[in-house]
Amino acid sequence: MKILIIGPFPEPTTGLSLSNEVVHKGLLDRANIKVSKINMSLQNFEESVGAFSLKKAIFFLRISLKAYQVFKNDIIYITIGQSFFGVLKYALFIYLSKMAGKQIIIHLHGNTLINTYNQSTPSKKKILRSILSKTSKAIVLSESLKANFKPFIQAERVFVLNNFVEHYLFLKEQERQEKTYNKLKIVYLSNLMTEKGIFYFLDALEMLNQSGVKFEARCAGNIDFTLKSQILDNFEKIKNATYLGVVKENEKRELLKWGNVFVFPSYLVEGLPLAILEAMVTGNIIVSTEHQALRDYFDSTNIHYIDKKSKEDIAAKLTELNNQLGEQKTMLNKNYKYTDALNEGAFVNNLLNIIQKN
């Protein structure tokens, strides 16, 4: 079986590019499978991921010259974008794959495709239907996210594949026992984007300082160069908050192992964030805005939910937790058990099962 992966790969590192890297590495180790890739990543991190620009258009036109590779493969696996341009840039690959009779697998790592379609003009809707209706099978992160493909393909061809946690992040039993919950040790690990709620988060930390709550916060992730000075200025003003830059591998593991509360204040329409699963497996109490895929898997016994765009609610929840850190053991154990099976091998195995379904 020859599989071609088309989508973003690190760098920059995002949940989507990391997932493609895990799939690629996982398939390389499989007998009777030959895997290749076309990297659709722009090398610089930008906050406006799905927006059109001339620079992006030229980049993707150059990438399109590699479209001949679809003829050399049996399975074309595409991690599609969610904006109109995010779909359009894969059109040539999809049309050629359909003409050549290839199986086309579209893997959606979010929950905004249906919103893009519903808010599009009639002509754009027609283009989106033309492209996405060529799909052989679609994959989403949770059951309710299947609705993203309703305008394009039959429901029986849409499959659910839960996300994963990289193997090196799993804590040993002794490491779990050594974690401390006597003071707020707050982690923010995501790209520091406006719509990821970074400014609400930083304002909430300042509110904690003003109210005398004892904490330490460490934050890591990419920053768009247009926001960098503004965000770093905010860190300078907040006592006990540190920006670590981009962390990977052991640095990432040590950060998550150090923390005991993980805050995810995004007000984007999210899928199932890898960062939340990573925080669960490393023994962090989860404080997050509510998202559809999270509701499919979790409830208030797993996650402390907060309002979107509310520094007050973030600060109130962290203040509440500061007085209840020792009472979170049941939640932590439940999340450990849930994430225990979400390893890379299971993720790749389940993906292959979907690919091989008739």
Side-chain angles (χ1 to χ4, degrees):
M1 187 191 302
K2 296 179 181 178
I3 301 175
L4 174 63
I5 303 172
I6 307 175
F9 286 79
E11 294 293 325
T13 298
T14 63
L16 178 54
S17 65
L18 179 60
S19 176
N20 282 333
E21 184 174 51
V22 165
V23 171
H24 184 256
K25 287 181 177 178
L27 293 177
L28 281 173
D29 296 333
R30 306 297 172 114
N32 303 318
I33 293 178
K34 184 177 180 181
V35 61
S36 54
K37 65 180 180 180
I38 295 176
N39 184 3
M40 301 289 281
S41 273
L42 287 161
Q43 295 307 299
N44 58 307
F45 174 76
E46 294 181 1
E47 177 153 309
S48 54
V49 178
F52 174 84
S53 70
L54 183 59
K55 177 183 174 183
K56 288 180 182 179
I58 292 170
F59 174 81
F60 290 118
L61 281 173
R62 288 176 178 167
I63 293 291
S64 293
L65 297 176
K66 299 181 180 181
Y68 69 89
Q69 292 186 34
V70 303
F71 298 107
K72 299 180 178 181
N73 290 273
D74 308 307
I75 311 293
I76 311 303
Y77 172 80
I78 297 173
T79 48
I80 200 83
Q82 300 185 85
S83 66
F84 179 75
F85 182 65
V87 174
L88 189 64
K89 67 190 180 188
Y90 292 94
L92 179 61
F93 300 102
I94 291 172
Y95 284 133
L96 288 179
S97 300
K98 185 68 175 179
M99 287 170 53
K102 308 299 182 179
Q103 183 180 175
I104 305 166
I105 312 289
I106 301 293
H107 196 162
L108 183 67
H109 280 258
N111 190 28
T112 59
L113 180 60
I114 189 62
N115 292 340
T116 295
Y117 177 78
N118 288 336
Q119 295 165 14
S120 292
T121 62
S123 58
K124 284 186 174 180
K125 283 183 177 179
K126 187 175 181 180
I127 292 169
L128 289 170
R129 285 197 304 269
S130 174
I131 296 169
L132 294 170
S133 64
K134 306 294 186 292
T135 305
S136 307
K137 296 170 189 168
I139 301 172
V140 294
L141 297 170
S142 73
E143 191 67 30
S144 63
L145 272 55
K146 286 182 174 182
N148 282 277
F149 285 98
K150 190 174 181 180
F152 313 118
I153 64 173
Q154 297 96 328
E156 60 268 23
R157 291 197 280 134
V158 184
F159 300 88
V160 174
L161 178 60
N162 201 342
N163 246 327
F164 63 92
V165 178
E166 292 178 279
H167 63 85
Y168 74 91
L169 288 170
F170 285 83
L171 298 185
K172 297 180 176 65
E173 183 61 33
Q174 184 177 345
E175 290 177 305
R176 293 183 183 186
Q177 297 302 323
E178 289 172 351
K179 284 195 68 119
T180 59
Y181 298 89
N182 53 3
K183 181 182 100 169
L184 286 176
K185 294 193 285 188
I186 303 166
V187 173
Y188 176 104
L189 179 57
S190 184
N191 292 321
L192 280 68
M193 299 165 60
T194 303
E195 291 179 314
K196 290 284 188 180
I198 183 59
F199 292 108
Y200 291 102
F201 172 70
L202 294 175
D203 286 347
L205 295 186
E206 183 57 33
M207 291 176 70
L208 292 185
N209 273 327
Q210 291 171 2
S211 62
V213 175
K214 302 296 183 185
F215 73 91
E216 187 176 350
R218 298 180 185 177
C219 310
N222 270 304
I223 307 177
D224 187 314
F225 75 96
T226 61
L227 293 176
K228 194 160 191 175
S229 61
Q230 183 182 359
I231 290 174
L232 294 183
D233 284 347
N234 278 338
F235 274 102
E236 289 292 325
K237 298 172 187 174
I238 301 171
K239 185 174 64 175
N240 300 329
T242 307
Y243 173 60
L244 303 175
V246 177
V247 296
K248 298 177 185 177
E249 298 290 337
N250 192 56
E251 285 182 336
K252 178 178 176 180
R253 188 180 194 275
E254 288 301 310
L255 171 61
L256 288 167
K257 190 172 79 167
W258 167 84
N260 55 30
V261 176
F262 180 86
V263 182
F264 189 79
S266 174
Y267 55 92
L268 284 167
V269 181
E270 297 279 354
L272 181 62
L274 279 179
I276 286 180
L277 300 181
E278 292 170 346
M280 283 183 172
V281 85
T282 47
N284 288 277
I285 301 156
I286 309 300
V287 175
S288 175
T289 44
E290 201 166 358
H291 303 279
Q292 200 163 337
L294 290 179
R295 290 196 298 268
D296 285 344
Y297 293 110
F298 306 117
D299 57 30
S300 60
T301 65
N302 304 97
I303 296 176
H304 295 281
Y305 287 115
I306 49 174
D307 296 335
K308 295 179 181 180
K309 300 184 180 182
S310 176
K311 61 183 180 182
E312 293 84 4
D313 205 42
I314 298 170
K317 183 57 66 177
L318 291 173
T319 301
E320 180 185 330
L321 282 173
N322 183 54
N323 300 320
Q324 301 174 354
L325 283 175
E327 302 170 20
Q328 305 296 311
K329 195 167 185 180
T330 300
M331 177 179 282
L332 290 165
N333 288 337
K334 185 175 182 181
N335 289 343
Y336 272 136
K337 289 177 183 177
Y338 176 80
T339 51
D340 195 48
L342 300 181
N343 56 70
E344 297 168 64
F347 179 75
V348 176
N349 282 338
N350 291 332
L351 173 60
L352 279 173
N353 288 339
I354 292 170
I355 290 172
Q356 293 167 346
K357 284 181 184 289
N358 292 326

